Amino acid sequence: RLARWMPPAAPIEVEIFADHLTAREDGRTRIFAWDDILSVSFDKGRVYLAKSRDDILILPLSAFENRQAMHDFVLLCEDLMRE
């Protein structure tokens, strides 16, 4: 299923808070409480934050300054999920 994933047409605005992450895209807001996130993972080009099998936030590499910034974001998410 992810092989057919297309990058979002509109930019995704992400805000990180101590207890959740908010993603805004096309006028729609999605809230991911750190306690509700089952997994965070990444590959060469995307970060995946999953609340369930069907509720996944996918952030492309282009959302980050570089690969290191993407990796740092994943580490931050993992830390906040553990708190």
Side-chain angles (χ1 to χ4, degrees), residues 26-71:
D26 287 334
R28 190 177 99 178
T29 299
R30 297 168 68 192
I31 296 173
F32 285 73
W34 298 117
D35 291 343
D36 294 341
I37 297 175
L38 300 177
S39 68
V40 59
S41 59
F42 68 100
D43 60 22
K44 291 187 291 186
R46 295 180 284 270
V47 172
Y48 308 91
L49 291 168
K51 286 196 325 188
S52 72
R53 187 174 152 211
D54 298 320
D55 193 1
I56 302 171
L57 176 64
I58 302 172
L59 300 172
L61 174 60
S62 62
F64 303 93
E65 187 175 317
N66 53 40
R67 287 190 196 281
Q68 184 61 50
M70 184 173 79
H71 185 257

